[in-house]
Each structure stands twice: as structure tokens, then as C-alpha cells.
Amino acid sequence: MKNTLSTTIVLTLLSTPFAFADSYKRIKKAADFNAIVVDKNLAFGPNTAIIRSNGKTDGKLKKQGKYYGAWAWQNGYYCRNLVVTKNETGTNCQLVEFDGKQLRFTTDKGKGRVTNLTFK
């Protein structure tokens, strides 16, 4: 009886869509990225960022201080090159997702580090 009940519960959980499923949707178009993200004050932990409509970006990192750089929307990705503590980071293209309240940026075209951002 116990095994049947356990099996039933496991099968039910595996076949039922999870209520906490990921609600982030990928931003694919430049126009959507511009409307949602550009020229907004963003925060990720104690850090800040502004991705500006003139192709520039800047902000402040808790440990490294102020940074700046340039960005462009390329083939469905946010591509940016930053200068942090006088060192250029090199261009990195990031997958951007939005859940209606928060943003999620994933480096290396969605294969790298994830950063969650909120609007300040």
C-alpha cells in the first residue's frame, strides 16, 4: 500500500506542470529591449547600471567602483564591452529575459553566468 501511494504521488508530481515554473520570457527584439530596459535605473545587489539610448552604459560596482562602456543589440542579444578599473572586459553578448518585474541577463549568449536585475 505504501509503495503504491508513493508511486502515485511521484507520478502525479512528474506529470503535473509546476506552479512555480520559470515565468521569464526572452527579449528577442531590439524594440522590446529598448522599451523595457534602456534608460532605466537598474540594480543587481548593491550594484547599479544604466543602459543608455545613445549606445553607452555605465554604473557602479560595490567592489570595483564606477564603470562605463558601450553596447549594441546584435542578433537578439545585448552585447556590451565595459571598462572596469581601467581594464576593458571585451565584448560579451548576453541573453536577456524579463518576467514583468525583473530582468535576467545570462552571459555568453545564455550559456554563462546569470545576473538578476531589478528596476530602481
Side-chain angles (χ1 to χ4, degrees):
M1 175 82 173
K2 261 186 174 177
N3 286 341
T4 304
L5 181 59
S6 296
T7 303
T8 302
I9 291 170
V10 169
L11 290 174
T12 301
L13 287 172
L14 291 174
S15 64
T16 304
F18 292 100
F20 54 86
D22 193 346
S23 61
Y24 283 90
K25 303 286 185 238
R26 181 174 177 186
I27 298 174
K28 296 179 182 178
K29 297 177 183 176
D32 294 335
F33 182 80
N34 291 339
I36 296 167
V37 180
V38 172
D39 292 327
K40 307 286 191 320
N41 290 310
L42 304 170
F44 49 110
N47 310 302
T48 63
I50 300 176
I51 299 168
R52 301 182 185 279
S53 54
N54 66 359
K56 305 291 182 191
T57 185
D58 58 85
K60 188 174 182 182
L61 302 172
K62 182 180 179 182
K63 293 182 180 179
Q64 294 96 345
K66 292 182 181 181
Y67 71 88
Y68 63 92
W71 73 275
W73 189 260
Q74 297 176 355
N75 302 316
Y77 295 96
Y78 163 73
C79 298
R80 54 98 175 124
N81 186 359
L82 304 177
V83 176
V84 181
T85 59
K86 299 182 182 178
N87 296 310
E88 194 170 327
T89 63
T91 300
N92 188 280
C93 294
Q94 303 181 10
L95 179 130
V96 183
E97 300 167 291
F98 184 56
D99 75 352
K101 294 181 182 178
Q102 295 186 61
L103 295 158
R104 181 165 63 193
F105 284 64
T106 307
T107 62
D108 304 323
K109 293 186 174 180
K111 296 177 182 146
R113 188 183 81 249
V114 174
T115 302
N116 293 307
L117 295 96
T118 57
F119 297 98
K120 282 181 66 178

